Amino acid sequence: MYLGIDIGTTVTKAAVFDATGALRAVQRQQTGMSNPAEGWFEQDPDEILRSVAAVVRAAVAEAGQRPEFIGLTGQGDGVWLGDEHGHPVRPAISWMDARAAGILRRWQDNDVVTKTYRHTGSAMFPGAPAPILAWLAEHEPESLDRAATAGYCKDLVMQRLTGIRATDVSDASMPFLDPHARDYDHDVLAWCGLATRADLLAPITDPLPIGALTNTGAELLGLPEGLPVTSGPFDVPACALGSGVTTPGGGHLIVGTTLACQVLLDALDTTGEPAGLTFATGTEGQWLRAMLAMMGCAAVDWVLDVVGETHDALDDLLAASQPGAHGVTCLPFFSPAGERAPFVEPGARASFDRITVQSTKADLVRATCEAVAYAARHCFDVAGPTGEIAMCGGGTQSAGWLRIFADVLGRPIRLAPQPESGARGAVIAGARALGHDVDIAAWTAPEGVIEPDPTTAARYTEGYADYRARVAAARTRWKEHAS
């Protein structure tokens, strides 16, 4: 048995898999997010650690067997400041946070964002580590002075469980990693004004940090001291691996709180408009080109709440409207931090258009679901998949929304093994690093394939062209408003 831990933004999960990849137990626990000021989002690392302990103990008890090792993954971006033992020196600043938007604007104006993208293949957004660290250096230097590590979510948990201070190449990619040398790019640190804080970045262990539960970690999880633990990749590339994306050109779509569209590449192109992220993978010479949009299930959740409905009613609401939502359109940029893919625009905001007194709540919901699917197509147009697209995430629970994605993308969607693709990917990565023999094809066999309907797909091609025109016009308005 193998144990995967996936520390999401609002839910921590532990999943136990057998040697064939079958899911034998899974436990989840909600975690909190504080909002100390408008656009600020923070989390308590100690609460996160307690949630890890709770779900691990419950999942192992459910499985009735101790795991051979633990594979750890979790949310990326943001800044998690810890002391020399991994204890937090302040609340973690989430990737959702917008406090560094002004710094990002400044960096966009003086070409820091563009120069960084040309070096690393990764653009920046307000919740990325570089602008947050720069904000802390300006406004809370004492927090950086007290810290030994400016790490990522899984890194602090790994240190608390094993004593290992390290990160992997996927988390290090955002945005400080030289994707070819697979080490920190000191030019990028200097451009961001962070050269004097470079010692806060955790050492990179390639491909993954490997440790073992200390006595403290073992007591916390209720597992034997010395049990092997691997850390990484972080949740987005872990989901791609757990969904079977192993061939260059293959695409992957996560419909979770936000939208993640990524493509596995064996060559990098850092020309064009700076947008998206490039993650180094556990295989040298392969990268994931990722467009991590800020909208997804969160946008649909908001609209459902506004119209007084829940997710249980989503498929019925989609069926009550029709493709095109009776003319209602949506721009789904609901995040207060704006948008980060397939373009970076901190001032991006959501809107509905073409609403009349005859528009229904079903039309509003369908328009939002279609808009998120259009955004996915926009992301993939930039990332450029040439092969199949696998899909996972909470959005796959809606058959109606799955159909919309297939029709908007105009290509078959391969439904990845559900649930817990991230934990599955963390276990596969850990098994590789530890030398365990895992049949990846068997572990990631699809649960089904959703084929697009040609007639509806043609209609959505027209709708997508309209969406792109509305986005282009809105970007002009957002920039004018910002200036």
Side-chain angles (χ1 to χ4, degrees):
M1 294 288 182
Y2 309 120
L3 174 63
I5 301 171
D6 184 355
I7 309 164
T9 304
T10 57
V11 182
T12 300
K13 298 157 282 187
V16 179
F17 303 91
D18 68 18
T20 70
L23 184 63
R24 297 303 183 190
V26 62
Q27 294 288 328
R28 304 176 181 87
Q29 182 168 306
Q30 295 285 134
T31 52
M33 179 82 70
S34 63
N35 186 214
E38 184 177 357
W40 292 26
F41 295 92
E42 298 184 344
Q43 291 188 282
D44 178 358
D46 285 331
E47 180 193 355
I48 297 297
L49 190 66
R50 290 192 295 270
S51 74
V52 169
V55 296
V56 166
R57 286 175 175 270
V60 171
E62 181 185 350
Q65 187 175 343
R66 288 176 175 174
E68 294 183 43
F69 73 87
I70 299 172
L72 184 64
T73 186
Q75 57 181 295
D77 287 305
V79 170
W80 297 62
L81 293 181
D83 65 15
E84 62 272 21
H85 302 295
H87 293 274
V89 302
R90 75 174 314 285
I93 301 178
S94 168
W95 60 270
M96 297 172 63
D97 198 272
R99 74 187 72 187
I103 289 173
L104 186 67
R105 286 284 189 198
R106 191 167 73 220
W107 287 355
Q108 287 175 319
D109 292 341
N110 64 18
D111 288 334
V112 169
V113 170
T114 299
K115 289 191 298 184
T116 296
Y117 179 79
R118 303 292 179 234
H119 270 226
T120 69
S122 291
M124 290 185 281
F125 65 101
I132 293 176
L133 284 171
W135 187 93
L136 287 167
E138 287 186 17
H139 300 277
E140 282 187 35
E142 67 280 3
S143 293
L144 297 182
D145 293 340
R146 293 199 307 271
T149 304
Y152 301 88
C153 175
K154 64 173 178 54
D155 297 340
L156 255 66
V157 172
M158 180 69 169
Q159 188 171 7
R160 296 287 291 275
L161 295 179
T162 68
I164 301 293
R165 177 182 179 262
T167 193
D168 77 300
V169 291
S170 71
D171 254 336
S173 296
M174 303 182 298
F176 301 118
L177 189 79
D178 179 324
H180 298 286
R182 296 169 76 87
D183 200 355
Y184 293 120
D185 188 318
H186 292 282
D187 286 339
V188 173
L189 286 163
W191 295 333
C192 296
L194 297 170
T196 60
R197 299 291 186 174
D199 60 328
L200 290 175
L201 302 181
I204 300 169
T205 301
D206 192 0
L208 298 177
I210 300 173
L213 288 180
T214 62
N215 178 262
T216 300
E219 289 183 355
L220 182 73
L221 301 187
L223 292 172
E225 185 177 355
L227 186 73
V229 184
T230 63
S231 180
F234 80 95
D235 59 0
V236 174
C239 283
L241 181 57
S243 299
V245 180
T246 58
T247 302
H252 185 244
L253 172 60
I254 307 171
V255 185
T257 302
T258 57
L259 198 67
C261 304
Q262 49 189 333
V263 179
L264 187 63
L265 303 175
D266 54 10
L268 290 184
D269 179 3
T270 60
T271 62
E273 180 181 359
L277 302 169
T278 298
F279 311 136
T281 71
T283 301
E284 192 166 351
Q286 289 188 355
W287 301 269
L288 281 164
R289 181 81 173 106
M291 297 290 155
L292 308 184
M294 297 294 281
M295 89 288 287
C297 289
V300 177
D301 289 343
W302 183 85
V303 174
L304 287 170
D305 184 60
V306 167
V307 300
E309 297 286 357
T310 67
H311 264 284
D312 293 338
L314 180 56
D315 280 333
D316 288 340
L317 288 164
L318 292 175
S321 187
Q322 64 180 26
H326 295 108
V328 177
T329 62
C330 173
L331 292 182
F333 306 106
F334 290 90
S335 170
E339 190 48 83
R340 58 178 177 174
F343 53 84
V344 178
E345 181 47 69
R349 292 296 181 265
S351 63
F352 288 94
D353 199 6
R354 303 171 188 167
I355 298 173
T356 74
V357 292
Q358 293 179 309
S359 301
T360 67
K361 61 183 179 181
D363 294 331
L364 293 175
V365 171
R366 176 173 270 279
T368 306
C369 288
E370 290 177 348
V372 173
Y374 287 142
R377 180 167 173 174
H378 193 179
C379 288
F380 277 126
D381 278 356
V382 176
T386 58
E388 293 184 333
I389 291 180
M391 183 172 174
C392 68
T396 62
Q397 296 175 15
S398 166
W401 204 9
L402 274 173
R403 165 59 54 199
I404 289 173
F405 275 108
D407 290 341
V408 167
L409 295 176
R411 63 174 74 204
I413 299 293
R414 181 165 54 88
L415 189 59
Q418 305 286 323
E420 309 315 329
S421 299
R424 184 180 296 271
V427 168
I428 292 173
R432 282 175 163 178
L434 294 169
H436 290 255
D437 185 18
V438 169
D439 185 342
I440 297 178
W443 272 61
T444 61
E447 293 187 353
V449 177
I450 300 92
E451 298 283 349
D453 176 81
T455 301
T456 309
R459 177 169 184 173
Y460 278 139
T461 296
E462 296 178 2
Y464 176 61
D466 177 69
Y467 170 84
R468 290 291 299 269
R470 287 184 288 110
V471 168
R475 291 186 69 182
T476 300
R477 294 197 304 272
W478 296 330
K479 291 184 185 299
E480 289 174 351
H481 180 74
S483 60

